[in-house]
Amino acid sequence: MQTRKKNHKDLSVVLSEIPSVDELMARDESAALSYTSPSAGKTVELTVFRYSGEDILNKTNVHPKNKRIQKYLTPKSLARLIKSLQKSNQVSPALGRIEDDGSVTAIYGSRRRMGCYFGEAEYVILASKDLTDDIAEEISDAENISESISLIERGYTWLAINQKEGLSSRDISEQFEESKVSHTIIAAGIAGAKLPDEIIMLYPSINSIGRSTISKLSTACKHKTEEEILSYVQAELAEITTNLWDAFADDNEKVVTELSGKLSDAISAFSTPKITKAPNKLPKTNKELAKGVNAKVNDKGRLEYITFDDSISKAKLTKLQDFLKDL
């Protein structure tokens, strides 16, 4: 199976030349800019669109090739972006396609879209009728070089391939990632995509949920229900989660990393089954055969049972039983 190679270097240069919002604001509404696709060799004309309030949701949508998982774009997860938008407005425009009904589909800039909506800021987007799905994908991929897609979001793509093609993580690595992404990372991403949404949303940034956290949360979900975990977090970890979200809003990466780890460890400790040693209810033995091995012998000299101070493996126990049978 062949996969299309993307010219990230060329795209990043072209996209960096797109004017800032301040420059666009000085232009006429109908003023057009040009964008040339490196792979398709096609030039498209881009027009400036501006939306505010409910029009952001009603008159724009997000292209399916955009790899941002939209349900994770909440007021809390976008807190830092919203604060920036409210302070400095939108720094660079989003890019989209004009649909037949007049709406605009965002190819990249979906975080800015929801950030502007929640922050009550104006959403500025360049759009054209001529953007094909292939060009939309290459632009979205190029934009994600500087604004990386999280492991869980990538996991959604790999999970879809796994379910549609029936391929293992190793096959996905070879056929879709040119072996540049290890199968263990792909497996972790798929596991992350399977986590319950409410568990993922305990963390302010989906990008902060790495392989280790995914492993802990996946194991936790095997032993406890989503409701049990959420109830525990709400009842016992309120201080950690509150401080975590506050640190995220304050852009304190060091504290975010520290508290995210504490949250994951606490959930893991709560969910992991506790293995307790069964009490030995047998009566005390009256004969020590060897260190840590005792036997009960009745008044006729008949062996009634043997006890061990430490646990014994099943294999050793079987050998001992066979030995005793042959006596």
Side-chain angles (χ1 to χ4, degrees), residues 20-85:
S20 69
V21 170
D22 288 340
E23 292 177 86
L24 292 172
M25 292 301 187
R27 299 189 180 192
D28 182 77
E29 179 81 17
S30 61
L33 304 115
S34 295
Y35 166 77
T36 302
S37 164
S39 64
K42 182 178 181 180
T43 300
V44 295
E45 298 298 315
L46 301 168
T47 303
V48 183
F49 289 84
R50 302 181 179 94
Y51 300 97
S52 300
E54 294 301 321
D55 281 350
I56 295 176
L57 299 186
N58 297 333
K59 295 184 178 181
T60 72
N61 52 72
V62 179
H63 196 279
K65 293 292 185 180
N66 185 297
K67 294 180 176 62
R68 298 284 175 198
I69 305 302
Q70 299 301 301
K71 60 188 175 185
Y72 298 137
L73 302 182
T74 66
K76 285 187 174 182
S77 70
L78 295 173
R80 289 186 293 189
L81 175 59
I82 292 170
K83 183 186 294 186
S84 174
L85 288 167

Side-chain angles (χ1 to χ4, degrees), residues 204-230:
S205 171
I206 192 172
N207 287 81
S208 68
I209 305 178
R211 291 171 63 182
S212 176
T213 299
I214 288 173
S215 176
K216 291 175 183 177
L217 296 179
S218 296
T219 301
C221 289
K222 292 178 182 178
H223 299 296
K224 297 287 186 181
T225 65
E226 177 183 351
E227 291 73 20
E228 288 173 328
I229 294 174
L230 294 175

Side-chain angles (χ1 to χ4, degrees), residues 91-211:
V91 176
S92 61
L95 189 66
R97 180 171 67 197
I98 305 171
E99 305 295 352
D100 293 338
D101 62 0
S103 65
V104 172
T105 297
I107 294 169
Y108 78 73
S110 65
R111 291 181 75 253
R112 276 162 281 182
R113 173 176 178 266
M114 294 310 298
C116 287
Y117 174 72
F118 293 131
E120 299 181 348
E122 185 176 52
Y123 181 52
V124 182
I125 182 169
L126 300 175
S128 170
K129 287 186 176 181
D130 301 322
L131 288 173
T132 65
D133 283 349
D134 284 342
I135 296 177
E137 184 174 13
E138 76 180 15
I139 293 174
S140 180
D141 286 344
E143 172 70 1
N144 289 329
I145 294 174
S146 59
E147 203 168 318
S148 63
I149 295 294
S150 69
L151 178 57
I152 288 179
E153 288 172 314
R154 295 166 73 193
Y156 272 85
T157 300
W158 296 325
L159 177 60
I161 295 172
N162 167 261
Q163 293 176 335
K164 182 178 179 180
E165 307 287 344
L167 298 178
S168 67
S169 57
R170 192 179 297 275
D171 292 333
I172 294 173
S173 172
E174 295 173 355
Q175 298 183 32
F176 287 84
E177 300 295 343
E178 300 177 346
S179 297
K180 294 179 180 178
V181 181
S182 73
H183 68 92
T184 56
I185 291 179
I186 291 175
I190 291 175
K194 292 179 179 180
L195 289 171
D197 290 340
E198 293 298 321
I199 300 295
I200 291 175
M201 290 181 182
L202 290 172
Y203 297 81
S205 171
I206 192 172
N207 287 81
S208 68
I209 305 178
R211 291 171 63 182

